[in-house]
């Protein structure tokens, strides 16, 4: 089943905003022609987004802008070499090889766009690196070698599928623990807020009861005072009548 344009746009957009914009305005998609957007792929993409690292910096961050640009050019050259020779296909399952093909198609496109932006006065090298890194934050540490002049591609991809899945599961497990902890903390905070609210309501209720009791007491006191006054008045009247008689 062929993907619709909106499905392609949405998938590219949640993967990388740059890819989404590129598709929206030019119609270009780095996705392989036979790429099928499935629920499983969308779910994984969302998880990868949850694993993003927006504080990561490259080892070459302190180099001057010219050398950093050179690093990106080298990584582009190496990515194209990987795509051309499909080093990942030799020791990978068909599914993982397809994932690698999609990853490198996207990585090449993003890197080419980043290199075009280097001339902009407000260009941020760190953010550019983070964008490339977060295309797949699980795979990125393994692909750091692509910024180097010499890469042993055979060794790089020899056990990559196994290492990648192990790292992915570990990171997802850590993410779930973090999310569960945040949920627990949120529930704890909500319970504390509810307790404080109940205590406040209890205080207000107690004050209302006390006020009602006080009003009743005041009313009773007024009633008693009135009765006393009436008795005194009656007594005075009786005394006057006696004196007259």
């Amino acid at each position: 089943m062929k993907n619709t344009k909106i499905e392609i746009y949405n998938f590219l957009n949640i993967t990388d905003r740059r890819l989404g914009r590129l598709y929206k305005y030019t119609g270009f998609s780095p996705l392989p022609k036979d790429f099928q957007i499935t629920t499983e792929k969308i779910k994984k993409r969302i998880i990868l987004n949850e694993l993003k690292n927006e504080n990561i910096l490259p080892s070459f961050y302190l180099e001057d802008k010219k050398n950093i640009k050179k690093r990106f050019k080298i990584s582009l050259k190496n990515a194209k070499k990987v795509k051309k020779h499909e080093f990942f296909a030799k020791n990978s399952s068909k599914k993982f090889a397809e994932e690698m093909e999609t990853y490198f198609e996207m990585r090449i496109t993003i890197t080419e766009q980043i290199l075009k932006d280097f001339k902009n006065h407000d260009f941020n090298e760190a953010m550019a690196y983070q964008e490339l890194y977060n295309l797949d934050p699980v795979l990125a540490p393994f692909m750091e070698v692509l910024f180097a002049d010499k890469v042993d591609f055979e060794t790089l991809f020899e056990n990559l599928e196994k290492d990648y899945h192990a790292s992915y599961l570990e990171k997802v497990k850590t993410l779930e623990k973090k999310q569960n902890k945040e949920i627990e903390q949120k529930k704890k905070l909500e319970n504390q807020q509810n307790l404080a609210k109940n205590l406040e309501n209890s205080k207000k209720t107690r004050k209302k009861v006390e006020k009602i009791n006080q009003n009743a007491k005041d009313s009773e006191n007024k009633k008693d005072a009135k009765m006393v006054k009436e008795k005194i008045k009656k007594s005075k009247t009786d005394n006057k009548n006696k004196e007259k008689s």
Side-chain angles (χ1 to χ4, degrees):
M1 185 176 179
K2 190 177 180 180
N3 298 313
T4 64
K5 289 185 177 180
I6 190 65
E7 285 174 332
I8 295 171
Y9 169 74
N10 287 338
F11 185 80
L12 290 173
N13 203 43
I14 63 170
T15 300
D16 183 275
R17 293 290 180 86
R18 189 191 298 272
L19 295 179
R21 288 196 301 271
L22 191 64
Y23 180 73
K24 181 179 180 179
Y25 294 111
T26 69
F28 173 77
S29 168
L31 297 174
K33 291 182 180 180
D34 58 349
F35 186 83
Q36 290 297 314
I37 299 170
T38 62
T39 302
E40 181 185 358
K41 288 175 182 176
I42 294 172
K43 183 179 178 181
K44 183 177 179 181
R45 185 62 252 172
I46 292 172
I47 291 173
L48 290 176
N49 287 350
E50 291 286 339
L51 294 172
K52 283 183 177 181
N53 187 340
E54 296 179 346
N55 297 311
I56 192 75
L57 291 173
S59 58
F60 50 85
Y61 178 62
L62 295 178
E63 295 180 13
D64 59 45
K65 190 170 183 177
K66 184 179 179 181
N67 283 336
I68 292 176
K69 185 176 183 179
K70 183 180 178 181
R71 296 274 191 176
F72 275 91
K73 284 183 176 180
I74 290 170
S75 75
L76 176 61
K77 179 182 175 182
N78 285 329
K80 287 182 175 180
K81 191 178 291 186
V82 170
K83 177 189 169 185
K84 181 179 179 180
H85 297 285
E86 295 188 339
F87 295 105
F88 49 77
K90 185 178 179 181
N91 300 302
S92 303
S93 64
K94 183 180 178 181
K95 182 180 179 181
F96 189 70
E98 289 174 350
E99 287 182 9
M100 289 299 97
E101 180 186 1
T102 303
Y103 170 81
F104 280 100
E105 289 279 2
M106 290 182 171
R107 180 175 178 127
I108 288 168
T109 300
I110 292 172
T111 308
E112 287 175 340
Q113 295 300 310
I114 286 173
L115 286 169
K116 289 179 182 179
D117 289 345
F118 255 89
K119 64 180 180 295
N120 298 338
H121 72 279
D122 59 346
F123 182 77
N124 188 309
E125 292 88 350
M127 289 180 68
Y129 174 81
Q130 288 162 10
E131 180 182 359
L132 204 55
Y133 183 97
N134 289 319
L135 177 59
D136 187 327
V138 180
L139 187 61
F142 299 103
M143 296 297 112
E144 190 68 16
V145 294
L146 296 182
F147 288 96
D149 284 308
K150 295 181 180 180
V151 182
D152 185 346
F153 294 103
E154 295 292 339
T155 302
L156 173 61
F157 291 98
E158 187 176 3
N159 297 304
L160 182 62
E161 182 173 6
K162 180 182 176 181
D163 293 340
Y164 176 85
H165 287 310
S167 180
Y168 178 80
L169 291 174
E170 183 182 352
K171 288 181 183 295
V172 168
K173 190 175 180 180
T174 301
L175 177 65
E176 288 174 347
K177 284 183 179 179
K178 180 184 176 183
Q179 290 175 335
N180 289 334
K181 188 176 180 180
E182 288 174 350
I183 290 171
E184 287 176 7
Q185 289 176 337
K186 186 178 179 181
K187 285 182 178 179
K188 187 177 179 180
L189 180 61
E190 287 176 350
N191 289 336
Q192 290 174 340
Q193 290 174 338
N194 288 334
L195 180 61
K197 189 176 181 180
N198 290 336
L199 286 171
E200 184 64 26
N201 289 336
S202 179
K203 285 180 182 178
K204 288 180 180 178
T205 301
R206 187 166 65 250
K207 285 181 179 179
K208 284 182 180 179
V209 171
E210 288 175 353
K211 188 175 181 180
I212 291 170
N213 289 336
Q214 186 62 44
N215 289 339
K217 188 177 180 181
D218 292 343
S219 179
E220 190 65 30
N221 289 338
K222 286 179 181 179
K223 185 178 180 181
D224 289 344
K226 185 178 180 182
M227 287 177 66
V228 170
K229 285 181 180 179
E230 288 177 349
K231 283 181 180 180
I232 292 172
K233 185 178 180 181
K234 187 175 182 300
S235 177
K236 286 181 178 181
T237 303
D238 290 344
N239 289 334
K240 285 181 179 180
N241 290 334
K242 284 181 182 181
E243 289 175 358
K244 286 180 181 181
S245 61

